[in-house]
Amino acid sequence: MTEQQIKLATEKFEALIREQSERSDKIKQQGDFVDYEKLDKIIIGVCGGDGIGPIITKESARVLEFMLKEEVEAGKVEFKVIDGLTIENRVAANKAIPDDVLEELKSCHVILKGPTTTPQAGDPWPNIESANVAMRKALDLFANLRPVKVPSEGIDWTFFRENTEGAYAVGSKGVNVTDDLAMDFVVTTTEGCERIAKLAYDYARRNKKERVSIITKANIIKTTDGKFLNICKNIGKDYPEIITDEWYIDITTAKLIDPKRRTDFKVFVLPNLYGDIITDEAAEFQGGVGTAGSANIGKKYAMFEAIHGSAPRMIREGRGQYADPCSMLRASVMLLSHIGKQDKADALERALDFCMYEEAKLKITGRDNGCTCEEFGNYVMETVKSGK
């Protein structure tokens, strides 16, 4: 390794420190959460993404328009279709989110977003940042909220994944110091830890959940994970009625499949990378990632999405119309709740439970031996109408 290589790597690291310090300062200056009841009109952006994304997003938007028919007719809710977040358009602009698309996203209060393709090594695409990660940072969607419920197994979990820091904060800005040495960076700030911890504990208090579990690998990743753990524990002291416990990520993944222990967990708060991994594991208990939705919450904006990928193979094989919309429909439940339409959220959730688990007269297989995405959407809306 030469002195010049060390100097160049150090300069890149210095630039990252300055960038993240500025971001930390901006967090301190934020105001309160949006009060949707005070808005003259709520604008819902519909952003399809890649692969099966436009198909399942369009279907979920159709169900939402059905649920919000009165509000749309009264001019209280508006749906805005936002194109341009495809991998081809992002590559052409050489940006995770093209500038014009980002401005359209910022004109909305909440966003229903389909899966997007993230380039990886060996792909034909350049190494642009994940659109999800970029959107979370640009709109400061600091909390990723993922519920998992399986009543028959006693599972009622809610995950609060920190969304804008950790291993993903500068994931595309690592340094190839030499051909033999590459380094990436993990980012943890006091402000970032405090706000995700408060959101998790506030949720636990409001919903009468008796336990919050802090998940890290602080015994090994001592500085950043240690900071996350200590700040969350300190916040927990303000909620004396709630039990706070701490777990390492590796043993947590084991205990989630332990029938004797997994029912003890209620609310989880955890850094970005661990949250991404463990929520996919958790989703398997209720039928897989295709059944799980996700909310990304900030003070000004919120984005709701599926937790799975864009399934380009389904499109290549001509099976897109058979894509499963349940993940996006579950995200739509959270969207309705977030904008203050809890009665409609409850009605849609009941209908999904009925259509997916109870009656389940239509099966989604991803192939022509199952129903289409549109047919399942019709089934859900018919169920809402019937009040089942």
Side-chain angles (χ1 to χ4, degrees):
M1 184 184 304
T2 67
E3 289 299 320
Q4 180 65 14
Q5 287 172 321
I6 294 174
K7 180 180 179 182
L8 289 174
T10 303
E11 288 174 353
K12 290 183 180 180
F13 186 41
E14 180 181 350
L16 285 177
I17 292 173
R18 295 186 186 280
E19 171 193 286
Q20 293 302 308
S21 178
E22 290 175 7
R23 186 184 66 84
S24 178
D25 290 339
K26 287 179 181 178
I27 295 175
K28 298 174 185 177
Q29 299 166 8
Q30 289 178 342
D32 295 327
F33 283 90
V34 170
D35 186 343
Y36 292 95
E37 291 186 359
K38 294 181 179 179
L39 296 178
D40 294 331
K41 180 190 290 185
I42 299 171
I43 300 175
I44 301 174
V46 180
C47 192
D50 295 310
I52 64 170
I55 298 168
I56 61 176
T57 306
K58 181 180 178 181
E59 192 57 36
S60 298
R62 189 167 73 96
V63 172
L64 275 175
E65 288 172 355
F66 165 76
M67 301 296 300
L68 295 169
K69 184 174 183 291
E70 295 178 0
E71 289 83 352
V72 171
E73 290 176 348
K76 296 293 186 181
V77 171
E78 175 186 335
F79 286 84
K80 179 177 182 179
V81 176
I82 301 172
D83 296 317
L85 205 60
T86 62
I87 184 64
E88 293 83 4
N89 200 41
R90 288 181 281 137
V91 166
N94 197 30
K95 287 189 173 182
I97 304 176
D99 292 341
D100 59 333
V101 177
L102 183 57
E103 288 308 307
E104 286 193 86
L105 292 169
K106 288 182 175 180
S107 71
C108 304
H109 299 102
V110 294
I111 299 154
L112 184 69
K113 177 196 158 292
T116 50
T117 298
T118 301
Q120 62 182 12
D123 283 351
W125 311 111
N127 185 28
I128 56 173
E129 185 179 34
S130 159
N132 271 13
V133 173
M135 191 180 299
R136 289 164 185 164
K137 289 192 285 188
L139 305 182
D140 199 29
L141 306 176
F142 66 87
N144 182 243
L145 169 59
R146 296 184 180 181
V148 172
K149 289 185 180 181
V150 187
S152 62
E153 299 287 339
I155 293 172
D156 182 7
W157 300 330
T158 307
F159 296 86
F160 284 82
R161 166 191 170 190
E162 203 292 318
N163 232 2
T164 58
E165 299 190 350
Y168 289 9
V170 288
S172 63
K173 297 181 180 180
V175 177
N176 287 301
V177 183
T178 70
D179 289 342
D180 298 320
L181 175 63
M183 298 186 70
D184 276 308
F185 306 101
V186 176
V187 176
T188 302
T189 69
T190 297
E191 295 77 19
C193 296
E194 287 179 344
R195 63 184 184 177
I196 189 67
K198 287 177 181 176
L199 205 65
Y201 278 98
D202 282 344
Y203 173 89
R205 175 174 280 174
R206 288 196 313 273
N207 291 275
K208 296 185 170 46
K209 307 291 186 182
E210 71 274 16
R211 184 183 301 272
V212 171
S213 301
I214 308 166
I215 314 299
T216 68
K217 192 63 177 171
N219 58 328
I220 304 299
I221 314 298
K222 296 181 183 295
T223 303
T224 49
D225 276 23
K227 183 178 183 70
F228 187 94
L229 173 62
N230 289 332
I231 289 175
C232 289
K233 287 168 65 176
N234 195 49
I235 295 294
K237 294 176 183 177
D238 295 331
Y239 301 79
E241 77 279 18
I242 296 172
I243 299 167
T244 295
D245 59 13
E246 57 186 86
W247 293 79
Y248 298 137
I249 180 63
D250 45 357
I251 193 63
T252 304
T253 61
K255 291 306 176 186
L256 290 192
I257 62 172
D258 179 351
K260 295 180 180 179
R261 297 302 303 272
R262 65 188 181 206
T263 56
D264 292 338
F265 292 108
K266 301 301 177 186
V267 177
F268 302 74
V269 58
L270 62 178
N272 209 333
L273 174 60
Y274 308 146
D276 191 7
I277 295 168
I278 205 169
T279 50
D280 281 5
E281 180 196 11
E284 285 296 309
F285 286 92
Q286 65 177 21
V289 295
T291 68
S294 173
N296 300 269
I297 308 298
K299 290 188 174 181
K300 187 174 182 181
Y301 302 101
M303 181 263 282
F304 301 84
E305 62 177 347
I307 73 170
H308 58 72
S310 57
R313 181 177 175 181
M314 288 191 71
I315 299 300
R316 288 196 302 269
E317 296 178 354
R319 298 187 286 115
Q321 69 269 34
Y322 299 104
D324 188 344
C326 291
S327 54
M328 291 297 290
L329 290 170
R330 290 290 183 185
S332 299
V333 171
M334 289 186 276
L335 188 154
L336 289 168
S337 176
H338 185 73
I339 64 174
K341 308 297 180 183
Q342 190 61 48
D343 57 336
K344 296 179 185 296
D346 292 342
L348 181 55
E349 185 171 38
R350 283 196 302 271
L352 285 170
D353 288 343
F354 183 81
C355 294
M356 292 171 68
Y357 307 122
E358 295 171 29
E359 183 181 67
K361 71 177 182 181
L362 295 183
K363 298 291 185 181
I364 301 167
T365 66
R367 298 183 181 276
D368 59 9
N369 60 352
C371 70
T372 66
C373 181
E374 183 177 1
E375 286 170 342
F376 192 83
N378 289 337
Y379 179 30
V380 170
M381 288 185 283
E382 290 165 5
T383 302
V384 171
K385 282 181 185 178
S386 69
K388 291 181 181 177

